[in-house]
Amino acid sequence: MSPFRWGRIALAAAVACLWCSPSPAQIAATPRADYATSELLVFITPGQSAADLARDFGLTPLGHLADAPNIVRLQAASVESAFAARVGLAADQRVRQAFVQYDNPRTTTAFTPNDPFFFPGTDPPVGGPGSTGNAVYPGQWHLVNAMPAAPFNDPSIDVRVKGAWDRDLTGNGVVIGIVDNAVQVGHPDLSPNNRTDLSHDFVSNDSDPSPVGTEVAHGTAVAGVAAARGGNGIGGTGAAPHAGLAGFRTNLLAQALQDAYSYRNDAIKIKNHSYAFVQAFPNAAADEAILAAGAAQGVIHVFAAGNERGRVLEDANKTDLQNSPHVITVAALGSDGKFATYSSFGANVFVTAPSSSDFRFAVTTTDRTGSAGYNATGAGNFASSAGGGTGLDYTNDFGGTSSAAPLVSGVIALAVEARNTAGFATDVRVVKHLLALTSRMVDATGGGWQTNKAGFHFNQNYGFGLIDADALTRAATQYSGVTALTTHTVPTSTVGETVPDNNAFGASHLFSVSAVNPQPLEEVQITLDITHPRRGQLEAYLTSPSGTRGRLFKAFPSDSGDDIRYEFVSNEFWGESPNGTWTLTVADLAAGNVGTWNSFSATFRMGTLVPVPEPATVGLAGALGLAGWAARRRRRRVTAA
């Protein structure tokens, strides 16, 4: 290659690197953390004068770091002018790197729980894990699993929250809304985090969402899993021990739930939903529209997948709201590292989290105070009054996907806090991308895992895997956001084919996608219209142009309902290219009934994470290095897709 051509490439790379730096106008319009200062830390090229540099940019020299004469502090007149000066400094040949200083609060210690029920012990609670043959109370193992390996326990099964806590991420400044039957916000382990200004009773229309009379303790237990106050020396802790809690009493009534979906979306950025419909293929179009509007406001809705494995609703993709692209659907994982025997599954499941399972550890959390809650029968209580007050204020026997969901909500609160500190906005699309990137594969030999052509692992029992608080919160600050959502729609297409009776190969239909300027896929939505006298005999599959094949819904022969007119969602093709020929298959797996596949339509949602650029540098090696990093990343993604 000629020196002239090499010089042109080098110049282009340097220009590209400088183009990545925002303009002063962009900087002024960009939200920053509250702790930015007017001071800059500048790495100057050896032999250059800090005084000259300060004079040329209208700055005041403040000296250099101890034993580092080439790292100098310069003072601007204001925070805004510091950001503007940083752009100019980064483009100056005398400067290697320039940073605006942030006076972020520090702490000498990480968050460490001192809550007695957090720790394993030798006095198993009455009716608790001791009944499984385990002689030691496992503590809040779902947060930090400190128990030894055993047939019922894999010590690696927890949400790795300690890594985030060690960096003092506790949910500060983030509010989690608990949309449930009721929440006893006056509980001693919930009241320190309660946001009375944001809580509401949508049944009685007042500000107290606490249970009335003999109402079950479900919402109170859910709230404790997400954000019981940790470090206060009583009871246990939630995943986000310093997050705010907004409790809602809804009695799970339709209108009350819809009010809760939209209530104070300006201040509540995570809402937890530990409930589901009780019939397959419900019509919840109005609820879905409200959730979509909330997602557009930046609200992250987290839904329990359901506890229906072995029953008609075992496939959560047959349950509306859980299969919305605007929510995060959570399955449950046992302490042995395998899916909980009740946990619903499906192409719509996004992530899994530890919870109770047969003959495994259950979850310790807050209960209605006194004897009004789960502990009214004496089961699921603590044998002692440890933890302050009485053991009757807590239960060690909570579980289900009702517990897995708020655990995910609490962990997401830690990630939102990390992003807030970095000055980044967070919405459900950002969180989904980060979860797909950081969740851990579990039960690797148990079957069901598939690696798609974009390199993402997916299993309908676990979604993208076990949520990892440490990895999630680290990744949360490495990406400024996601690209704007783009969609490609395949309009309703007539099929008009008989579905072969008792034939696993079924009827297949090919269709092509040619999206303009396609981005990597997020969710794929498929609407099917099938006439059939016994819909439980049917199941459907979608195959991408890259060859990834995913089940849209599973047959369940005892479902005697008729016909399917429903929209399904799939996460299995995350990151792949939408363009090319897709194959949609509908199969009838039992003899005796024949149906007709009438039509289908499809929507392809697309977008990708936007990485935080490395600091701009003037050095040619630095410019080429950044350009090379971006090119390598593009190559990996393009090749994978």
Side-chain angles (χ1 to χ4, degrees):
M1 182 181 293
S2 69
F4 175 75
R5 180 170 173 77
W6 172 252
R8 290 182 61 187
I9 292 174
L11 178 61
V15 170
C17 180
L18 295 176
W19 176 82
C20 292
S21 298
S23 68
Q26 289 172 320
I27 288 171
T30 302
R32 295 284 176 177
D34 294 336
Y35 308 113
T37 72
S38 58
E39 183 178 310
L40 298 106
L41 191 69
V42 182
F43 293 64
I44 62 175
T45 303
Q48 299 297 325
S49 166
D52 290 346
L53 200 64
R55 180 199 63 224
D56 294 346
F57 284 89
L59 304 171
T60 301
L62 300 178
H64 59 78
L65 297 191
D67 296 323
N70 295 319
I71 305 177
V72 299
R73 294 190 178 99
L74 303 177
Q75 182 78 51
S78 66
V79 172
E80 291 74 17
S81 58
F83 280 111
R86 185 257 172 197
V87 176
L89 287 164
D92 195 296
Q93 293 184 355
R94 294 169 292 178
V95 175
R96 292 186 290 123
Q97 290 180 298
F99 303 93
V100 173
Q101 290 274 49
Y102 282 74
D103 192 16
N104 294 302
R106 268 81 166 175
T107 179
T108 56
T109 59
F111 171 73
T112 303
N114 64 352
D115 313 277
F117 293 157
F118 172 76
F119 301 98
T122 57
D123 181 16
V126 174
S131 62
T132 68
N134 171 42
V136 178
Y137 165 59
Q140 292 186 294
W141 63 274
H142 57 288
L143 297 172
V144 177
N145 192 336
M147 296 298 291
F152 49 79
N153 183 54
D154 177 347
S156 72
I157 300 303
D158 61 31
V159 295
R160 291 186 176 175
V161 74
K162 188 177 184 301
W165 286 352
D166 283 349
R167 286 176 279 121
D168 207 35
L169 293 171
T170 57
N172 262 317
V174 184
V175 180
I176 304 171
I178 306 299
V179 183
D180 218 284
N181 66 314
V183 179
Q184 188 182 27
V185 293
H187 188 289
D189 235 2
L190 299 179
S191 61
N193 291 340
N194 179 38
R195 290 290 303 270
T196 55
D197 57 322
L198 300 176
S199 298
H200 199 79
D201 182 336
F202 291 101
V203 179
S204 301
N205 194 29
D206 58 45
S207 60
D208 185 359
S210 298
V212 175
T214 59
E215 281 183 327
V216 297
H218 189 268
T220 303
V222 166
V225 175
R229 174 55 70 104
N232 61 352
I234 65 170
T237 182
H242 292 157
L245 275 172
F248 300 133
R249 179 171 176 253
T250 67
N251 272 356
L252 304 187
L253 302 175
Q255 184 175 348
L257 285 171
Q258 292 173 354
D259 284 333
Y261 295 160
S262 59
Y263 188 74
R264 293 303 308 269
N265 284 348
D266 60 319
I268 305 170
K269 290 308 178 186
I270 303 169
K271 290 185 178 180
N272 187 87
H273 310 262
S274 290
Y275 54 87
F277 288 104
V278 296
Q279 63 181 22
F281 308 114
N283 185 341
D287 298 66
E288 163 67 7
I290 298 170
L291 292 177
Q297 294 175 278
V299 178
I300 303 158
H301 290 281
V302 178
F303 271 81
N307 305 331
E308 300 297 319
R309 188 179 292 260
R311 295 193 283 262
V312 172
L313 280 175
E314 65 176 5
D315 189 332
N317 216 2
K318 298 177 182 178
T319 306
D320 209 355
L321 304 188
Q322 272 81 358
N323 71 2
S324 166
H326 307 296
V327 312
I328 295 168
T329 298
V330 183
L333 182 72
S335 60
D336 59 351
K338 304 181 187 304
F339 60 81
T341 53
Y342 53 78
S343 181
S344 297
F345 54 81
N348 61 316
V349 170
F350 210 89
V351 70
T352 191
S355 188
S356 62
S357 65
D358 293 348
F359 306 109
R360 308 294 186 259
F361 303 151
V363 172
T364 295
T365 183
T366 46
D367 193 17
R368 286 190 63 177
T369 53
S371 59
Y374 290 116
N375 48 33
T377 62
N381 296 334
F382 290 87
S384 69
S385 59
T390 170
L392 291 176
D393 296 349
Y394 301 87
T395 176
N396 72 294
D397 203 24
F398 194 55
T401 56
S402 282
S403 181
L407 182 53
V408 167
S409 292
V411 170
I412 289 173
L414 306 182
V416 173
E417 179 191 5
R419 289 181 59 79
N420 287 348
T421 302
F424 302 141
T426 311
D427 61 21
V428 69
R429 290 181 60 227
V430 170
V431 174
K432 281 190 165 186
H433 277 279
L434 293 173
L435 287 172
L437 197 65
T438 62
S439 297
R440 291 189 282 146
M441 183 186 290
V442 290
D443 189 22
T445 61
W449 285 101
Q450 179 174 208
T451 303
N452 70 20
K453 291 301 185 288
F456 288 101
H457 309 296
F458 188 86
N459 185 316
Q460 293 202 0
N461 291 314
Y462 309 109
F464 292 99
L466 171 58
I467 193 169
D468 185 323
D470 188 24
L472 179 69
T473 53
R474 291 182 187 277
T477 60
Q478 296 170 9
Y479 299 90
S480 59
V482 292
T483 56
L485 176 71
T486 58
T487 60
H488 179 86
T489 300
V490 176
T492 300
S493 303
T494 300
V495 178
E497 291 185 28
T498 298
V499 181
D501 190 33
N502 195 25
N503 185 327
F505 291 101
S508 293
H509 187 85
L510 277 62
F511 63 97
S512 294
V513 173
S514 54
V516 178
N517 299 322
Q519 297 190 79
L521 281 171
E522 293 179 1
E523 303 90 354
V524 177
Q525 295 172 279
I526 300 291
T527 300
L528 293 173
D529 185 331
I530 306 168
T531 302
H532 196 283
R534 197 174 180 91
R535 65 191 181 195
Q537 298 177 354
L538 301 174
E539 66 183 34
Y541 291 83
L542 182 64
T543 305
S544 73
S546 300
T548 302
R549 186 172 191 256
R551 187 180 64 215
L552 290 176
F553 69 91
K554 188 177 185 295
F556 196 87
S558 64
D559 179 1
S560 59
D562 61 2
D563 303 341
I564 293 176
R565 295 178 180 87
Y566 209 69
E567 183 177 76
F568 302 91
V569 72
S570 179
N571 300 313
E572 299 210 37
F573 310 99
W574 198 274
E576 290 193 1
S577 170
N579 284 352
T581 300
W582 292 76
T583 304
L584 188 54
T585 301
V586 175
D588 183 335
L589 302 185
N593 296 283
V594 178
T596 302
W597 180 5
N598 302 312
S599 64
F600 78 94
S601 62
T603 299
F604 297 85
R605 295 166 56 89
M606 295 171 278
T608 190
L609 284 168
V610 178
V612 176
E614 294 181 3
T617 60
V618 171
L620 180 59
L624 290 174
L626 181 58
W629 173 83
R632 288 193 299 274
R633 182 175 180 82
R634 285 196 301 272
R635 274 202 304 275
R636 285 199 298 270
R637 284 300 184 194
V638 170
T639 303

